[in-house]
Amino acid sequence: MQHYFSSVPFSLTASFALPEETYRHIATVMRMQAGDQVELVHPDRRCYVVELEEVSPHRITGHVVREVTRPVELPVEVTITCGVPKKNKAEWIVQKGTELGATHFVFCDSQYAVAKWQASKQARKVDRLQKIVQGAAEQSHRLVIPTVEYVPGIEAVATQEYAVKLVAYEEEAKQGEVTRLGQQVQALMPKDTVNVVIGPEGGLAPAEVTALQRAGYTAVGLGPRILRAETAPLYVLAALSYATELTPGTRMGVLEDK
Ligand code: SAH
């Protein structure tokens, strides 16, 4: 079923006009008709099946049939912070990262980064990434549209508060560090905010890692192989999903019930 987001509240009991930004897709692209159903996410992050009544390119109305209660969001709120990567890798990271459940993406300048986002282009770049995120959130039936942000450097990242702060450091992996990510993930509680900092293609500068460690970050290895800058965030998100959603006995839902 097609999945859309509404930025304004809608009635759960009466007919209502769907958000205008869905008209073109529903009427022209999908050629839906009265009686067809879509999923519509309310701003309060609840998702409803809506049956369409009137369908035209200029107005679509419908009513709520039922709520979709299947949990979709990761039980923890994950921020992926990346050193600005080259070419279109940021696009790749936000699209795949949204599918894998991240809630925020932060891109920051870092010492060994080859790419730079010029000041005049930063806002446009973030806008473009935000659009990609929106499409990916619809496609993967998310209940939230993740946010995208640019910050000038790692120092700005270090001042933000998160319950769990991790920096993926390739030098730790090269030293055989294979336990910390697992330990940190096992200690997670439902709704914890987690930030994972990942370096650009050139890696992280030791001074950047030290600054983050001073701010309470734990340097973790992501296994014995060195991953590309765009692979590392996806590895972390998949590991978090596995640990909190798929592992018997440690599922967050189970923890919450106790
Ligand atoms: N050029 C560096 C690799 C950079 S990889 C080198 O050859 O050593 C880009 C980023 O991905 C790293 O800064 C780190 O944050 C993350 N990363 C990749 N593989 C990793 C691993 N095995 N362990 C921890 N972090 C890793």
Side-chain angles (χ1 to χ4, degrees):
M1 198 178 296
Q2 288 296 316
H3 186 88
Y4 303 99
F5 290 89
S6 179
S7 55
V8 291
F10 52 84
S11 171
L12 305 185
T13 51
S15 288
F16 62 92
L18 272 73
E20 232 177 288
E21 60 271 18
T22 65
Y23 293 179
R24 202 186 73 82
H25 200 260
I26 291 178
T28 314
V29 179
M30 300 305 298
R31 295 168 186 256
M32 286 193 212
Q33 296 171 350
D36 286 343
Q37 296 186 336
V38 298
E39 284 179 6
L40 191 62
V41 182
H42 196 272
D44 71 1
R45 299 186 176 184
R46 287 169 190 260
C47 179
Y48 298 91
V49 172
V50 171
E51 186 168 308
L52 305 179
E53 293 166 356
E54 181 191 338
V55 181
S56 83
H58 310 293
R59 184 175 160 79
I60 298 181
T61 58
H63 61 270
V64 167
V65 179
R66 63 186 158 85
E67 184 178 351
V68 180
T69 49
R70 186 171 60 94
V72 178
E73 292 302 317
L74 270 181
V76 287
E77 189 178 319
V78 184
T79 302
I80 294 292
T81 300
C82 295
V84 166
K86 289 200 278 192
K87 299 199 183 129
N88 59 354
K89 287 182 183 172
E91 282 82 344
W92 167 278
I93 291 168
V94 300
Q95 184 186 58
K96 308 301 173 203
T98 297
E99 291 169 32
L100 286 164
T103 305
H104 308 286
F105 297 95
V106 177
F107 291 93
C108 68
D109 290 325
S110 75
Q111 252 172 278
Y112 296 165
V114 182
K116 287 261 176 297
W117 290 1
Q118 289 165 15
S120 60
K121 295 198 180 139
Q122 281 158 12
R124 231 186 317 146
K125 188 94 186 168
V126 168
D127 264 9
R128 185 176 145 64
L129 294 174
Q130 193 67 64
K131 287 209 179 74
I132 292 171
V133 162
Q134 163 115 22
E138 287 170 1
Q139 192 269 328
S140 56
H141 290 227
R142 294 283 304 266
L143 301 180
V144 290
I145 304 172
T147 61
V148 182
E149 192 189 342
Y150 167 83
V151 298
I154 296 265
E155 310 73 49
V157 173
T159 59
Q160 297 289 315
E161 260 323 306
Y162 300 94
V164 178
K165 306 180 202 178
L166 306 176
V167 50
Y169 192 26
E170 60 277 14
E171 296 308 325
E172 289 287 351
K174 290 175 194 166
Q175 301 298 317
E177 200 298 294
V178 290
T179 55
R180 286 186 210 137
L181 180 67
Q183 285 163 357
Q184 293 281 323
V185 165
Q186 268 170 16
L188 284 172
M189 296 302 289
K191 304 214 169 19
D192 270 353
T193 53
V194 184
N195 187 24
V196 188
V197 178
I198 290 150
E201 289 81 357
L204 289 161
E208 291 173 325
V209 177
T210 307
L212 288 169
Q213 284 172 321
R214 280 206 195 101
Y217 278 74
T218 303
V220 299
L222 303 182
R225 293 162 296 281
I226 300 303
L227 310 171
R228 287 197 182 238
E230 71 274 30
T231 313
L234 309 188
Y235 178 94
V236 171
L237 287 163
L240 284 168
S241 167
Y242 181 74
T244 62
E245 297 179 313
L246 295 188
T247 310
T250 55
R251 268 191 11 244
M252 290 276 172
V254 174
L255 277 181
E256 241 168 349
D257 289 346
K258 279 184 188 158

